[in-house]
């Protein structure tokens, strides 16, 4: 089936080209077998065309019958990669050429040109309150408009009023332009159409673009319109250029975009200043706070000849305070300020030094406009004319006002995104453990990088915490989605993992209970598909040097042995959390002392998991011998990844360098089910504690051992194993073949028993019980005396 990776069933080439960019495809015959497999499908799921040829679709793609068919609906599903991990994808199934064959289309959520992107763009445009937006279907019928577009309609005009507009430059009418955009997909950018007649009459700046579905089939067009004054050709061009303002979420970039429009459209020099609140990411207060409170700073400049004079205020410098004249006070209400040369100098108090710093040489007219949005002051823009003698007219003032209003909206949108992103990151980081920890079992280091670009912070997390008997629990996880909801879900799952781990559950059972929790969360959620995720849970025991782990759809951890060899732990991947259709499996391995376990989420690998895994293995092999601590190794590893500069997904990495407990700090004895052996156990404990210099713990430890060994022999039978471990605490473990859980209860005054575990609880700092493959182990911990010999 290799040649048919891109060929149709008849050997012809598949037609699609750019329409199928980023979309993986598979063709199923009438019996549901795979007969065609695209290269994108191979990149997405790892299977080659030869490997899937003739296989039933459920073996590779899951339950295709459950996908929406021939309805244009898209479903978020979890597919299994050839490497074993789970890949989330948006899937749509449709009939192929009217036959019984079906075409399965798959793509990563939120990728370039995707379905979510088109839907989100349409939703965001219709939600604008300052820009008119209308949506048309492929037949030219009006689907819907927003309130801003309705307010632009001339009195008495019908539903087709927008298409009847005539172009200011004499070009094709609006209806013909819309039909051309729908037919060719070439957008229309900021063309001016007459809305009335006479000098100073209003006009509309209109932009239009086509909306396509996932395979390039047009669904309709979106039309954006905003009112402009009667302008000349140079201002028409300015309105078209203004369409580019706000394409970035970087507020400084937005200011630079504005200056590129102001020069040369309105003048020869332009500046933009931001208050300290905007630059520091704080929410500006309502109204104009005044010069001193706002502490403005210059963020963007532009000169017609390309060189910004050194005597003027430079980018990054604070704006000197000037006297609060009535003209400058107009910023309080958001007026556009028009000054001639004399008025501008008078506003600066006639101070030659201030004039030299604020006004370009030869400036004879200026326009200034504050940047307001939702009643909040976001900055101030100014433009100066030096090369022409013409004063600013009404059309210039209107253009300045429109440009600054669009800029303020762009800043507010960027600011809202930055504020939510920052809040989510702060919440995320506050919920994560310390980046580096040291314990008896391991030295750990964690790294978290939030997604960059236009993606909000997600729900990736890592954790490392102490467990009973000097063991350590290691966790990495990835919650579906981004933003505050994902961070909150992550917090719930992290807390649940710690709580379940304290019960000494084995990794597979812990993930099973965590999966139950996620499914309950899905029932409670308004959108169940947004709740879920992956998780890897591992437990390392420094006494036996064993590590047990289980995975819920998380990539397998990498293992770096002390000799520098790198491999991936052969973890059997289970389903993602919230699926609940398969049990989880435990992988157990013995680690050499000084091994480094590298656990991570899929953001470190990127979308091409196979290539990402190979790169990760090569990077670890190159770095393991040159970076001593796990923290240094983790920083170097993340720095080498091509996905960390501007990650499209959150990245979490947890490195754990294992340690072992020395042989001389352990003692193990095994006894038959004979109560006479209790005295022997006490004698063994006494001799070992004296050898360790822990005589102060003799009395309490003998009582603990007597109680636990007696109960084990009396109620569980034999053999009974007693183990003492001396480290930062004294650990005492008693193991027996019974799976009966001991229970602490309060004995009555006349009861002859029932006080043993109560006594154990009073003599220890912690105690508990965990199940093993051959029964259970009751463990206790006692704090060492202050003067105890060093281990």
């Amino acid at each position: 089936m290799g040649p048919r990776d891109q060929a149709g069933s008849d050997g012809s080439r598949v037609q699609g080209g750019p329409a199928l960019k980023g979309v993986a495809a598979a063709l199923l015959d009438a019996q549901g077998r795979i007969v065609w497999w695209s290269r994108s499908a191979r990149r997405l799921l790892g299977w080659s065309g030869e490997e899937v040829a003739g296989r039933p679709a459920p073996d590779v793609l899951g339950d295709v019958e459950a996908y929406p068919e021939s309805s244009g609906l898209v479903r978020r599903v979890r597919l299994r990669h050839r490497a074993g991990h789970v890949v989330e994808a948006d899937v749509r199934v449709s009939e192929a050429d009217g036959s019984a064959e079906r075409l399965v289309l798959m793509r990563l959520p939120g990728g370039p040109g995707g379905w979510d992107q088109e839907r989100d763009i349409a939703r965001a445009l219709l939600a604008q309150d300052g820009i008119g937006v209308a949506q048309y279907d492929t037949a030219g019928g009006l689907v819907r408009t927003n309130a801003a577009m309705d307010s632009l309609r001339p009195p008495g005009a019908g539903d087709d009023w927008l298409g009847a507009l005539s172009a200011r430059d004499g070009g094709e009418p609006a209806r013909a332009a819309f039909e051309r955009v729908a037919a060719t997909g070439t957008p229309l950018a900021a063309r001016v159409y007459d809305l009335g007649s006479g000098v100073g009459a209003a006009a509309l700046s209109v932009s239009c673009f086509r909306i396509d579905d996932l395979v390039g089939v047009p669904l309709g067009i979106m039309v954006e319109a905003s009112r402009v004054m009667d302008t000349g050709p140079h201002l028409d061009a300015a309105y078209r250029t203004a369409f580019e303002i706000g394409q970035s979420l970087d507020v400084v970039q937005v200011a630079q975009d504005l200056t590129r429009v102001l020069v040369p459209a309105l003048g020869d020099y332009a500046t933009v200043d931001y208050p300290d609140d905007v630059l520091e990411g704080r929410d500006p207060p309502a109204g104009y706070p005044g010069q001193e409170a706002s502490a403005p700073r210059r963020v963007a400049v532009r000169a017609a000849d390309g060189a910004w004079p050194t005597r003027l205020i430079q980018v990054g410098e604070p704006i000197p305070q000037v006297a609060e004249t009535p003209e400058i006070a107009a910023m309080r209400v958001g007026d556009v300020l028009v000054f001639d040369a004399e008025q501008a100098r008078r506003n600066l108090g006639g101070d030659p030094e201030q004039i030299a710093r604020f006004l370009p040489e030869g400036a004879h007219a200026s326009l200034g406009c504050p940047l307001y949005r939702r009643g909040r002051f976001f900055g101030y823009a100014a433009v100066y004319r030096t090369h022409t003698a013409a004063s600013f007219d009404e059309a210039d003032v209107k253009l300045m006002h429109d440009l600054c209003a669009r800029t303020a909206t762009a800043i507010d949108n960027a600011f809202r995104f930055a504020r939510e992103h920052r809040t989510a990151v702060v919440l995320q980081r506050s919920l994560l453990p310390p980046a580096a920890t040291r314990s008896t079992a391991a030295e750990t280091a964690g790294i978290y990088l939030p997604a960059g670009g236009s993606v909000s912070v997600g729900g990736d997390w890592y954790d490392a915490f102490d467990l009973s008997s000097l063991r350590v629990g290691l966790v990495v996880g990835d919650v579906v989605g981004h933003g505050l909801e994902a961070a909150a879900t992550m917090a719930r799952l992290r807390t649940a993992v710690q709580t379940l781990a304290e019960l000494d559950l084995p990794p597979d059972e812990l993930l099973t209970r965590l999966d139950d929790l996620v499914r309950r969360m899905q029932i409670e959620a308004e959108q169940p598909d947004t709740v879920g995720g992956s998780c890897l849970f591992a437990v390392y025991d420094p006494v036996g040097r064993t590590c047990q782990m289980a995975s819920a759809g998380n990539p397998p951890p990498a293992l770096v042995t002390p000799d520098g060899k790198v491999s991936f732990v052969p973890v059997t991947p289970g389903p993602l959390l919230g699926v609940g259709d398969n049990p989880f499996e435990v992988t157990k391995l013995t680690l050499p002392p000084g091994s480094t376990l590298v656990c991570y989420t899929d953001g470190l690998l990127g979308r091409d998991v196979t290539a990402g895994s190979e790169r990760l293995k090569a990077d670890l092999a190159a770095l393991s011998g040159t970076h001593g601590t796990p923290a240094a190794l983790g920083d170097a590893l993340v720095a080498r990844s091509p996905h960390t500069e501007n990650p499209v997904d959150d990245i979490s990495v947890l490195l754990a360098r294992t340690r072992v407990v020395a042989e001389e700090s352990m003692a193990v004895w095994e006894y038959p089910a004979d109560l006479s052996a209790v005295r022997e156990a006490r004698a063994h404990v006494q001799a070992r504690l004296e050898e360790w210099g822990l005589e102060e713990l003799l009395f309490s430890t003998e009582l603990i051992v007597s109680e636990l060994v007696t109960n084990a022999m009396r109620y569980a039978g034999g053999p009974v194993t007693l183990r003492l471990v001396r480290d930062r605490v004294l650990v005492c473990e008693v193991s027996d073949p019974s799976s009966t859980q001991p229970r602490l209860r309060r004995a009555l005054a006349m009861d002859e028993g029932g006080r043993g575990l109560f006594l154990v609880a009073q003599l220890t700092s912690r105690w508990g019980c965990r199940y093993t493959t051959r029964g259970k182990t009751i463990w206790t911990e006692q704090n060492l005396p202050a003067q105890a010999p060093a281990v």
Side-chain angles (χ1 to χ4, degrees):
M1 190 174 174
R4 298 183 61 193
D5 270 2
Q6 281 197 336
S9 57
D10 58 354
S12 61
R13 302 295 294 180
V14 175
Q15 301 298 315
L20 285 173
K21 183 178 181 180
V23 178
L27 186 64
L28 313 182
D29 62 15
Q31 287 73 41
R33 294 187 299 266
I34 298 174
V35 295
W36 180 82
W37 190 254
S38 71
R39 289 183 180 176
S40 295
R42 179 172 185 170
R43 288 193 296 268
L44 180 67
L45 297 179
W47 301 96
S48 67
E50 293 86 347
E51 292 173 316
V52 300
R55 293 183 59 177
D59 291 355
V60 180
L61 302 176
D63 186 8
V64 179
E65 302 298 331
Y67 299 167
E69 183 171 346
S70 303
S71 60
L73 296 177
V74 177
R75 182 180 179 186
R76 181 70 52 82
V77 300
R78 299 177 178 92
L79 304 175
R80 182 72 63 186
H81 193 275
R82 185 178 183 274
H85 62 273
V86 173
V87 176
E88 283 200 348
D90 290 341
V91 176
R92 175 181 167 185
V93 178
S94 59
E95 294 180 354
D97 301 324
S99 67
E101 295 182 328
R102 284 171 295 172
L103 184 65
V104 181
L105 300 170
M106 305 161 284
R107 72 180 321 280
L108 293 171
W115 316 313
D116 291 346
Q117 182 182 9
E118 292 157 355
R119 184 183 64 243
D120 293 342
I121 289 174
R123 185 189 302 115
L125 286 173
L126 288 168
Q128 295 291 325
D129 57 4
I131 301 174
V133 178
Q135 180 182 354
Y136 290 84
D137 59 24
T138 54
L142 183 65
V143 177
R144 51 183 171 174
T145 62
N146 66 353
M149 181 65 83
D150 294 337
S151 68
L152 297 175
R153 181 191 304 197
D159 290 340
D160 194 37
W161 67 274
L162 196 59
L165 297 178
S166 300
R168 174 66 55 84
D169 58 7
E172 59 187 351
R175 172 59 62 189
F178 297 165
E179 292 174 351
R180 178 177 53 79
V181 172
T184 66
T186 303
L188 175 72
R191 176 169 293 176
V192 178
Y193 290 87
D194 282 321
L195 195 60
S197 60
V199 178
L204 290 183
S205 174
V206 177
S207 300
C208 176
F209 60 91
R210 189 174 74 183
I211 304 174
D212 297 341
D213 71 1
L214 73 163
V215 292
V217 177
L219 299 177
I221 60 172
M222 294 292 286
V223 178
E224 177 196 73
S226 58
R227 189 185 298 269
V228 298
M229 295 298 294
D230 192 1
T231 64
H234 73 290
L235 294 190
D236 288 349
Y239 275 108
R240 286 193 293 272
T241 308
F243 188 71
E244 301 176 0
I245 297 178
Q247 300 295 316
S248 171
L249 288 173
D250 184 344
V251 294
V252 175
Q253 181 63 50
V254 172
Q256 294 170 349
D257 292 342
L258 176 59
T259 60
R260 280 195 291 270
V261 178
L262 294 177
V263 178
L266 286 178
D268 307 303
Y269 293 86
T271 64
V272 177
D273 307 328
Y274 283 165
D276 185 61
D277 284 335
V278 172
L279 292 174
E280 294 294 331
R282 296 187 295 268
D283 197 4
Y288 177 59
Q291 299 178 66
E292 183 177 0
S294 62
R297 190 175 294 272
R298 185 138 295 172
V299 294
V301 298
R302 188 171 180 83
D305 58 7
W308 187 253
T310 57
R311 67 183 184 85
L312 296 177
I313 301 172
Q314 302 296 308
V315 171
E317 292 184 355
I319 307 301
Q321 293 188 36
V322 298
E324 193 83 13
T325 64
E327 292 80 7
I328 293 179
M331 282 194 294
R332 296 180 181 274
V333 293
D335 287 346
V336 177
L337 313 178
V338 185
F339 301 134
D340 57 22
E342 182 61 29
Q343 180 65 55
R345 291 182 176 87
R346 191 163 57 249
N347 290 337
L348 297 172
D351 184 347
E353 183 178 347
Q354 294 281 56
I355 293 173
R357 297 215 66 196
F358 276 90
L359 300 181
E361 186 175 356
H364 63 82
S366 67
L367 276 180
C369 183
L371 308 176
Y372 271 101
R373 176 69 175 168
R374 297 184 297 113
R376 285 169 165 76
F377 178 70
F378 286 98
Y380 185 79
V383 61
Y384 305 89
R385 284 181 175 174
T386 61
H387 298 167
T388 62
S391 300
F392 291 107
D393 57 21
E394 184 180 356
D396 295 328
V397 172
K398 179 63 170 61
L399 175 60
M400 184 71 172
H401 182 274
D402 290 346
L403 293 177
C404 289
R406 187 181 186 96
T407 302
T409 300
I411 296 172
D412 187 34
N413 291 339
F415 191 72
R416 288 186 184 186
F417 171 84
R419 183 169 59 247
E420 178 178 347
H421 187 270
R422 184 175 58 257
T423 301
V425 170
V426 171
L427 174 61
Q428 182 86 316
R429 294 192 186 279
S430 68
L431 296 171
L432 294 175
T437 63
R438 298 175 67 91
S439 67
T440 300
E443 179 183 1
T444 68
I447 299 173
Y448 168 70
L449 292 178
S454 60
V455 183
S456 300
V457 65
D460 284 25
W461 88 94
Y462 63 85
D463 206 353
F465 45 84
D466 293 335
L467 296 174
S468 62
S469 301
L470 307 177
R471 300 174 304 152
V472 65
L474 306 172
V475 189
V476 291
D478 183 1
V479 172
V480 172
H482 295 87
L484 292 174
E485 292 184 2
T489 301
M490 178 274 290
R492 294 181 65 179
L493 295 187
R494 177 174 178 246
T495 302
V497 170
Q498 290 186 346
T499 302
L500 294 171
E502 284 294 323
L503 299 176
D504 282 318
L505 299 177
D508 56 338
E509 186 174 348
L510 183 144
L511 290 182
T512 298
R513 298 198 183 186
L514 194 65
D515 179 74
D516 292 339
L517 171 62
V518 172
R519 283 191 284 172
R520 288 197 297 270
M521 293 168 62
Q522 290 173 341
I523 295 174
E524 299 169 358
E526 295 182 0
Q527 297 179 334
D529 287 344
T530 64
V531 180
S534 62
C535 182
L536 174 78
F537 178 66
V539 177
Y540 173 68
D541 182 359
V543 178
R545 298 188 291 113
T546 59
C547 183
Q548 300 184 66
M549 63 182 68
S551 171
N554 201 81
L559 177 63
V560 183
T561 55
D563 57 5
K565 294 182 179 179
V566 181
S567 61
F568 289 99
V569 179
V571 177
T572 302
L576 288 171
L577 297 174
V579 176
D581 56 353
N582 287 300
F584 301 99
E585 296 185 24
V586 175
T587 299
K588 184 176 180 180
L589 63 159
T590 301
L591 303 181
S595 299
T596 302
L597 201 61
V598 183
C599 309
Y600 52 90
T601 55
D602 55 8
L604 183 66
L605 303 179
R607 291 179 176 173
D608 191 338
V609 176
T610 302
S613 299
E614 293 297 326
R615 184 187 61 255
L616 174 61
K617 185 175 181 180
D619 289 345
L620 286 173
L623 296 171
S624 59
T626 59
H627 294 77
T629 66
L633 176 59
D635 291 340
L637 178 65
V638 171
R640 290 172 69 104
S641 172
H643 307 292
T644 56
E645 182 68 24
N646 190 25
V648 296
D649 194 7
D650 285 15
I651 296 175
S652 283
V653 182
L654 177 64
L655 299 94
R657 182 156 298 159
T658 62
R659 299 175 171 180
V660 296
V661 176
E663 292 289 340
E664 58 269 20
S665 295
M666 295 184 295
V668 182
W669 303 276
E670 186 174 295
Y671 308 103
D674 186 350
L675 290 177
S676 63
V678 175
R679 182 173 59 184
E680 182 181 354
R682 287 198 299 266
H684 288 154
V685 168
Q686 179 180 356
R688 185 50 60 101
L689 292 186
E690 289 176 349
E691 179 183 336
W692 288 342
L694 300 178
E695 289 84 356
E696 292 185 38
L697 297 180
L698 271 174
F699 176 74
S700 59
T701 307
E702 286 183 353
L703 286 177
I704 293 169
V705 169
S706 295
E707 177 61 34
L708 297 183
V709 173
T710 300
N711 284 347
M713 293 179 175
R714 181 175 294 169
Y715 302 112
V720 174
T721 302
L722 170 63
R723 184 169 73 173
L724 291 181
V725 182
R726 178 193 59 160
D727 196 82
R728 54 184 173 80
V729 293
L730 179 64
V731 178
C732 176
E733 297 179 344
V734 175
S735 303
D736 61 58
S738 172
S739 297
T740 303
Q741 174 76 35
R743 182 170 60 90
L744 179 66
R745 65 185 179 89
R746 184 175 296 277
L748 300 178
M750 301 302 294
D751 287 349
E752 295 183 359
R755 297 177 179 83
L757 287 181
F758 181 79
L759 180 62
V760 169
Q762 301 306 307
L763 295 174
T764 60
S765 58
R766 292 201 313 162
W767 76 279
C769 176
R770 64 175 179 269
Y771 294 104
T772 65
T773 56
R774 292 180 293 180
K776 68 175 182 296
T777 296
I778 303 176
W779 57 269
T780 68
E781 292 181 2
Q782 298 179 78
N783 295 325
L784 299 183
Q787 303 300 322
V791 177

